[in-house]
Amino acid sequence: MEALFIFIAKSSGLLILFYFAYFFLLRKETFFNSNRWFLLAGLITSVVLPFLVYTKIVWVAPSPTPVMNYAAGYIPHTYTTIPEQSIEINWDYVVLIIYGIGFLALIIKFAADFYSLNSVLKGKEVQQEQDFKFIDIEENIAPFSYFDYIVYNSSMFTASELESIIEHEKVHSDQHHTVDVIISRIFCVLFWFNPIIWLYKKAILQNLEFIADSEAAKKISDKKAYQYTLLKITTHENCVAITNHFYQSLIKKRIVMLNKTQSKKTNYWKYCTIIPALAAFVFLFQIEIIAQERKENQKVSQKTTSDDVYKIEKTTTDQELKVIAEKIKQNHDFDVAISNVKRNTNKELTAIKMNIKKGAQEVQTIQIDGDEPIKSFGLAVSTEDNGIKKIGVITDGDTNESTMLQDRIADVEEVNSTDIKNVAPPSPPAPPARIGNIVPPAPPAAPAFPGGSMPKLPTIDMSKMPKAPAPPANPRDKVAMANFEKDMAEFEKKMEAFEPTLSAYEKQVDEIMAKHEAVYGKDMEKYEIAMEKFSVEIEKYAKYIEETVGKDMKDYEKNMKEYEKDMKAYEKEMKKFEKESKKS
């Protein structure tokens, strides 16, 4: 469940990243086809990139080995507390249910749109011409295209208007714009909760109209007549979903983009701005650093040259124990003092204490005490190439990876429960001790894109900025349309007066940004090194938390279950004791 939420969060973040790049840098450029592929690449990247994780292994020095509890027992208590039961709400499932409801509703809407489209196309006469299928309908629906189908109502338009419409829809059909529409709808279904995806879909549809308008205008001799047709189509509000329909509510933007001068090729650098943003995303979220302890036998300067394991089992005799102690002394100069040896009726070891010393220095103490036979263990001695010898305890499950201890004391104890009736009421088990004031390491700050002495915006008197003329309410009014055409020509001339000032400012910004990008690259290299160090520190911190708290909590929970079981037996004994006391 957590992995799903992380994927959704990463995908949503990438969608926001691409949309903002398009909105602030690219939407006013005339690179319509490039914008189309940029927006589609954003959708694909948002789904694929979260799955691409680079795993990096960082070797760290081994942490101090904790004290081993070889066979820690449990002492039962004479009273218990009944935990209060409370109803907990699993918010993960609540969020998943809400998401599922929205997902299901949009799937139903998607299916309904396909059904509506099929009802329009079903039973209609199809006229094949080259790669296109033309359908002339009687319904009052705006013209649209769906893959190679082009649908229109010829009775609503003149011959010249119909020619403009068909050229427009041919572009949609020939460039397979229906695929873009369906993909954007699918992403709206998947990420319906993210408001950016709806704006993203709107940007895709709007850019497709810019493409069709631009290509159609090249094939039509009368460009102004094409604009008149755009204005006329605005009166048709009935559209078929999941299609490329000729009607769009943003007619003014389409007319402005049709009359806008072509963007300079030097502005293609704006597409590259997404690359450092994606690189930062990968470095921050898609690199999984695994810290692994470098074992003693992995060090180049201190390689282990030999391993000796002296195994002790429940059937080991006193004579064999003596021989083991002598061998360790003879071969490795460790003094092993064996005491408190106890056996059961089957002559099996149930208790033993071993004090291990190196000269006058005590290295390790091993003590096992109980009524049950001991579990097999071994004393492992390793000699490194620098001459340092280490001794440690291994169990049967750890024969290949012994835990080496040097200059440390390991108390290994095994205690069996005694008769509950003779035990005074003990205190309940204490919860694990708190970690203290340990503070996790702080991550390094990501470098900000350098600012600096950016050129000041050119002073422009906004009151002198020309306003675009509004189209006439009646497109068939020739006088009004002539005036509108005249006003549009004046508007374009006035706008050209502001172009040199803005172009000069944009050139200055490009030069400064090129210098800043070089500085930013060096800062990012330093930041990557700092992130690697931070990852190592956080792994050490996590391991410390796991060793100090995780193990204690698991032991605590295990002991609590045994404690409750013993308390039930104790209560039965107490009831029996009370009955016997009354009788006596």
Side-chain angles (χ1 to χ4, degrees):
M1 188 71 70
E2 182 181 0
L4 176 61
F5 290 154
I6 292 175
F7 169 76
I8 291 176
K10 289 182 178 180
S11 297
S12 300
L14 289 169
L15 286 173
I16 293 173
L17 189 66
F18 273 87
Y19 178 75
F20 281 175
Y22 171 79
F23 184 83
F24 290 109
L25 298 175
L26 301 172
R27 68 186 175 98
K28 293 184 179 181
E29 303 294 340
T30 59
F31 309 132
F32 303 132
N33 283 299
S34 298
N35 285 348
R36 177 194 180 188
W37 300 118
F38 178 85
L39 291 170
L40 288 178
L43 295 180
I44 296 172
T45 303
S46 67
V47 174
V48 175
L49 190 57
F51 289 105
L52 302 179
V53 179
Y54 172 72
T55 302
K56 184 177 183 180
I57 298 177
V58 178
W59 295 99
V60 297
S63 58
T65 308
V67 176
M68 296 180 59
N69 291 326
Y70 171 69
Y74 168 71
I75 301 177
H77 305 292
T78 57
Y79 60 89
T80 185
T81 56
I82 301 175
E84 295 182 1
Q85 295 184 355
S86 59
I87 300 175
E88 295 184 0
I89 299 175
N90 192 325
W91 291 105
D92 290 344
Y93 288 111
V94 173
V95 173
L96 191 61
I97 290 172
I98 295 174
Y99 173 81
I101 293 173
F103 178 82
L104 183 61
L106 289 173
I107 284 291
I108 295 173
K109 177 67 168 58
F110 204 8
D113 291 340
F114 271 109
Y115 178 80
S116 176
L117 173 64
N118 184 63
S119 63
V120 173
L121 301 178
K122 188 176 181 181
K124 299 297 190 299
E125 182 180 352
V126 179
Q127 182 180 355
Q128 184 77 34
E129 182 179 330
Q130 296 179 351
D131 296 331
F132 307 103
K133 299 176 181 179
F134 296 95
I135 299 179
D136 193 352
I137 59 175
E138 297 179 356
E139 290 87 345
N140 184 14
I141 297 176
F144 67 87
S145 62
Y146 179 72
F147 289 105
D148 54 350
Y149 287 93
I150 297 177
V151 183
Y152 54 89
N153 186 343
S154 59
S155 63
M156 299 169 57
F157 309 101
T158 64
S160 60
E161 292 171 344
L162 191 59
E163 179 187 358
S164 299
I165 291 172
I166 291 177
E167 288 297 334
H168 178 96
E169 296 304 330
K170 279 184 177 181
V171 177
H172 282 313
S173 179
D174 191 46
Q175 296 189 11
H176 309 290
H177 289 177
T178 305
V179 176
D180 300 42
V181 176
I182 294 177
I183 290 176
S184 64
R185 281 291 299 270
I186 292 174
F187 271 81
C188 285
V189 172
L190 294 175
F191 300 95
W192 62 266
F193 54 88
N194 186 357
I196 293 296
I197 191 60
W198 300 96
L199 298 175
Y200 204 105
K201 169 178 171 279
K202 182 179 179 181
I204 289 177
L205 299 183
Q206 179 179 309
N207 186 69
L208 293 179
E209 294 304 319
F210 292 160
I211 294 174
D213 288 340
S214 176
E215 296 298 324
K218 295 177 182 177
K219 300 176 182 179
I220 297 174
S221 56
D222 193 349
K223 188 176 180 180
K224 291 184 174 58
Y226 181 80
Q227 297 179 40
Y228 297 152
T229 304
L230 287 180
L231 294 174
K232 180 177 180 179
I233 300 301
T234 57
T235 59
H236 298 281
E237 298 182 355
N238 295 327
C239 303
V240 179
I242 62 172
T243 61
N244 301 111
H245 42 78
F246 194 85
Y247 165 73
Q248 282 287 329
S249 59
L250 302 174
I251 293 297
K252 287 184 179 180
K253 285 188 177 181
R254 291 172 63 180
I255 293 177
V256 170
M257 296 304 284
L258 270 173
N259 293 280
K260 188 174 182 179
T261 56
Q262 293 293 316
S263 299
K264 298 178 181 179
K265 292 184 178 180
T266 54
N267 289 345
Y268 272 108
W269 68 266
K270 295 181 179 180
Y271 291 101
C272 300
T273 57
I274 197 67
I275 296 177
L278 290 177
F281 177 86
V282 171
F283 284 126
L284 290 174
F285 303 110
Q286 297 306 109
I287 296 181
E288 181 181 0
I289 299 179
I290 300 177
Q292 291 188 1
E293 283 192 2
R294 192 183 299 277
K295 300 294 183 181
E296 297 294 338
N297 58 359
Q298 291 176 327
K299 294 182 179 178
V300 176
S301 60
Q302 296 182 352
K303 291 185 179 179
T304 302
T305 57
S306 63
D307 277 330
D308 290 336
V309 179
Y310 302 90
K311 195 169 184 180
I312 299 174
E313 301 175 331
K314 62 184 179 180
T315 57
T316 303
T317 64
D318 293 344
Q319 180 62 30
E320 289 173 341
L321 290 173
K322 185 178 179 180
V323 172
I324 289 174
E326 291 176 354
K327 286 184 177 181
I328 294 176
K329 173 64 176 176
Q330 181 180 357
N331 298 334
H332 307 289
D333 199 22
F334 283 101
D335 294 316
V336 180
I338 301 175
S339 60
N340 296 341
V341 177
K342 296 180 182 179
R343 299 180 185 273
N344 57 17
T345 55
N346 296 326
K347 296 184 179 181
E348 295 173 330
L349 277 173
T350 60
I352 188 172
K353 183 177 181 181
M354 308 177 75
N355 290 324
I356 305 175
K357 294 183 179 181
K358 182 76 169 179
Q361 184 180 14
E362 185 174 12
V363 177
Q364 189 171 353
T365 299
I366 302 171
Q367 183 173 352
I368 303 172
D369 191 8
D371 297 328
E372 299 295 329
I374 68 170
K375 298 176 182 178
S376 300
F377 68 97
L379 297 177
V381 182
S382 63
T383 305
E384 298 177 349
D385 57 6
N386 59 4
I388 297 178
K389 292 188 176 183
K390 295 186 178 182
I391 187 167
V393 178
I394 61 172
T395 61
D396 287 340
D398 299 325
T399 54
N400 293 329
E401 295 184 9
S402 61
T403 303
M404 291 299 145
L405 303 175
Q406 182 181 18
D407 301 333
R408 295 178 58 85
I409 300 175
D411 294 324
V412 184
E413 299 181 356
E414 180 176 303
V415 183
N416 290 334
S417 62
T418 58
D419 190 0
I420 297 177
K421 293 186 291 184
N422 298 325
V423 178
S427 301
R434 295 180 63 183
I435 301 172
N437 297 323
I438 300 297
V439 179
F449 196 84
S453 56
M454 296 293 288
K456 294 184 179 181
L457 282 168
T459 304
I460 299 176
D461 189 355
M462 298 304 294
S463 62
K464 296 181 179 180
M465 285 287 289
K467 295 182 179 180
N474 185 9
R476 296 183 179 179
D477 188 346
K478 296 183 179 179
V479 176
M481 287 303 300
N483 292 332
F484 172 70
E485 184 178 333
K486 182 179 179 182
D487 293 340
M488 280 295 296
E490 293 178 358
F491 171 72
E492 291 176 0
K493 290 181 180 179
K494 292 179 180 179
M495 285 300 297
E496 289 176 357
F498 291 92
E499 185 68 24
T501 303
L502 294 176
S503 298
Y505 172 74
E506 187 174 320
K507 183 178 180 180
Q508 295 176 14
V509 171
D510 291 344
E511 293 175 354
I512 294 176
M513 288 296 289
K515 296 179 181 179
H516 286 180
E517 285 176 359
V519 177
Y520 181 68
K522 295 180 179 179
D523 292 340
M524 279 300 296
E525 292 179 359
K526 296 179 181 178
Y527 174 69
E528 291 171 14
I529 296 173
M531 278 299 297
E532 291 182 2
K533 294 181 179 179
F534 168 70
S535 300
V536 173
E537 293 295 328
I538 203 69
E539 287 291 339
K540 289 183 179 179
Y541 174 78
K543 186 169 184 180
Y544 173 76
I545 295 299
E546 181 181 358
E547 291 176 350
T548 55
V549 177
K551 182 178 181 299
D552 292 340
M553 286 302 296
K554 291 179 181 178
D555 292 342
Y556 177 75
E557 292 173 359
K558 180 180 179 182
N559 290 344
M560 279 301 297
K561 292 180 181 179
E562 295 179 359
Y563 169 71
E564 292 172 0
K565 185 187 298 184
D566 290 339
M567 277 305 301
K568 291 180 181 178
Y570 172 74
E571 290 173 359
K572 292 181 180 179
E573 292 293 333
M574 284 298 296
K575 290 180 181 179
K576 183 178 180 181
F577 175 76
E578 290 175 1
K579 290 181 180 180
E580 292 177 355
S581 298
K582 290 179 181 179
K583 290 180 181 180
S584 59

